[in-house]
Structures are given as structure tokens and as C-alpha cells.
Amino acid sequence: MLFIALIVLGYEVERTARMDFMQGRHAAQKKDQMEDFKTNNGILLRNLLPGHVAEHFMGCGKIGLYHDEYANVGVMFASIPNFFAEFYAETDVNNNGIECMRVLNEIIADFDELLEKYKFNCIEKIKTIGATYMVAAGLTPQAVYDGTDTDLKSHLQSLCEFAYAMQDAVKRFNKHSFNNFQLRMGINHGPLVAGVIGATKPQYDIWGNTVNVASRMESTGKVGRIQITEETCQIVEQFGFKFDEPHMVQVKGKGQMKARFLAEERK
């Protein structure tokens, strides 16, 4: 009887040890899954939002109303006017427009790739609207906390360099695809508000007169040229950028504003 009792006891001890091992391994797997889930969420948030904004939401654990006020930010709009006017069509040949959108996606992807370069790390893509690409330079935490942006001049320099780089990217795309796309671009700088709208599908955006004027610089500009407000020109001139003679632009809510076109060739 004692022998049988010892066998039963040994079996129970072994079974308990196995159960503890399995539960421990299950707990470890659950922990690894949670870590993977957190990492994937972080990657997704950083793709949707600027880094410092993504860190804010990862820290608080929820998406809600979020905004920052900036004293000086450079804003640029770049559109491809002849994409929808001349190129886009919904026919059987291009799969009801899908192939046209594939072309637009390739161009936008080229712009996104440019932003991966270190020299453009101060520039944040805001969104695309149809065939219009919108970016801003200077949306840094320091600009929020200090109330001023000490790197404003270099941010605007990077923005102008990025505008030239976008033009070069389109030229390369045209060469390889036998197209004739051209950019029409507008740049302005000044104060604005940036924030996140939405809970389930959060979207980072910027608002203010600075943004409206930058949009107007694009829409009233010339195809193939970069139109910049006079105030912004005065800042970036010191970096050797050249401009055409100033001209007047009618801006809704602002009246006549002085602007210039950035020289077609780099400094």
C-alpha cells in the first residue's frame, strides 16, 4: 500500500509540475504577444503621426483631442495639375482608372522616400489631397515648449531644397515612364495650430492663416514653378536661393500679397 501511495504521490507531483510549466509558458507567450501588439501599434502610430505625437498617445494609452501651437512653421503645397486634367481617365484600357491611380501612387511614394533622407528630417508629411502633396517643416517639440523655433531658417532652407528634390523626382519619373507631369508649388511660413482629430481613425493636421496662404501660393502659381511669400523669401535668400522679381497675388481674406517665384535652377 505504501508503495502504491508513493507512486500516486509521485504522479501528482509530476502532473502539478507539468501544469505549472505549461501555465508559465502560456503566460510567457501571452506576454510576448502583448509586447508584439504594443510594438506593432507603435509602428502604426508613428506612420500616422509625427514621432513626438505618437509617443504622447503611446504614453497615455488612448487617442483624444490633442493640439500644439507653433510660432513659426514652414508649409508647402505641391500639386500635379495635369494629372486629373489630362492624364486620369476611367476606361477599359486602364482598368477603370486603377492604372492611373497606380501611377499617382508611385509618384507619391517617391516623395515619401525623399523624406527618409536625413537632410529632410525636419519636414513632416501632413497628407495628400488628390494629386496634392502637403508638408510642413518645424513641427518639433522644441518649437512648442520654447514658444519660438530657433531652427526656423534652416527649416525653411530644407523646405526649399525639398521642393527642388520633388521636381527632380518628377523629372526622373517622366523620363522612365514617358509622361509629362509637372508640379505647381507654394510655400509660406508663420504661426499655426497642429493637432489630431478623430478617435478610431486619428488624423494629424495643421490649421491657420499660414496654411491658407501657402495653399493660395500653390493655387495661384505657375506650373513648373515654386511660388513663395515675400516674407519667406527674405529669410531663405541668405542661403543663396535666387528669385524672380516680386509680383502681387490676390489672397482671399488677405487682399494683395507680394510673392516671388524661386529660380528654376538651384543656387
Side-chain angles (χ1 to χ4, degrees):
M1 291 294 294
L2 178 61
F3 178 72
I4 295 174
L6 289 174
I7 292 176
V8 172
L9 179 61
Y11 172 77
E12 288 296 327
V13 170
E14 183 180 355
R15 187 172 70 88
T16 301
R18 286 180 178 178
M19 288 181 63
D20 289 343
F21 173 76
M22 293 300 294
Q23 289 175 351
R25 187 169 68 173
H26 181 69
Q29 289 175 343
K30 281 289 186 182
K31 183 179 179 181
D32 290 342
Q33 288 174 357
M34 290 298 294
E35 289 296 329
D36 290 342
F37 182 73
K38 184 177 180 180
T39 299
N40 291 335
N41 277 350
I43 294 173
L44 179 61
L45 271 179
R46 290 185 181 91
N47 283 333
L48 292 172
L49 308 171
H52 68 281
V53 181
E55 292 297 331
H56 166 82
F57 286 118
M58 290 175 66
C60 70
K62 62 179 181 179
I63 299 291
L65 180 63
Y66 174 89
H67 77 280
D68 290 317
E69 294 183 7
Y70 295 86
N72 278 306
V73 173
V75 180
M76 180 176 73
F77 285 81
S79 70
I80 310 173
N82 62 331
F83 179 82
F84 286 107
E86 301 173 7
F87 180 77
Y88 182 81
E90 296 180 2
T91 64
D92 292 337
V93 175
N94 61 35
N95 198 12
N96 292 321
I98 292 178
E99 295 306 318
C100 293
M101 299 312 298
R102 194 188 308 278
V103 168
L104 179 59
N105 182 67
E106 289 182 21
I107 297 173
I108 297 300
D110 287 344
F111 297 160
D112 291 345
E113 188 175 345
L114 287 174
L115 288 177
E116 296 297 321
K117 294 186 177 182
Y118 178 77
K119 64 179 179 179
F120 298 136
N121 66 355
C122 68
I123 301 175
E124 190 74 38
K125 176 184 176 182
I126 305 300
K127 59 185 174 183
T128 56
I129 312 165
T132 299
Y133 196 83
M134 178 184 178
V135 298
L139 294 171
T140 61
Q142 292 77 17
V144 177
Y145 303 137
D146 297 342
T148 59
D149 189 353
T150 55
D151 293 327
L152 171 65
K153 295 179 181 179
S154 62
H155 287 165
L156 293 178
Q157 177 190 16
S158 296
L159 199 56
C160 291
E161 291 287 356
F162 183 66
Y164 277 128
M166 289 178 71
Q167 287 184 330
D168 289 343
V170 171
K171 289 176 182 177
R172 288 193 298 271
F173 184 86
N174 286 338
K175 181 179 179 180
H176 293 114
S177 64
F178 305 101
N179 283 298
N180 187 35
F181 297 122
Q182 287 185 293
L183 290 170
R184 185 177 64 202
M185 313 171 81
I187 297 176
N188 183 37
H189 84 279
L192 55 75
V193 174
V196 176
I197 296 296
T200 57
K201 293 182 179 180
Q203 181 177 348
Y204 185 79
D205 209 342
I206 55 179
W207 302 271
N209 286 330
T210 298
V211 180
N212 296 337
V213 172
S215 176
R216 192 63 174 169
M217 287 296 106
E218 180 275 317
S219 62
T220 62
K222 295 180 180 178
V223 174
R225 303 301 302 274
I226 306 163
Q227 184 168 239
I228 307 180
T229 55
E230 176 66 18
E231 292 80 2
T232 304
C233 289
Q234 291 174 3
I235 294 176
V236 297
E237 269 184 325
Q238 62 189 276
F239 294 105
F241 291 104
K242 302 300 181 182
F243 300 89
D244 292 354
E245 290 299 313
H247 57 272
M248 302 305 293
V249 177
Q250 180 67 34
V251 177
K252 184 178 180 181
K254 292 283 187 177
Q256 294 284 320
M257 290 188 67
K258 189 179 292 186
R260 298 189 189 189
F261 287 109
L262 196 59
E264 295 187 62
E265 297 294 330
R266 266 186 191 81
K267 57 184 179 179

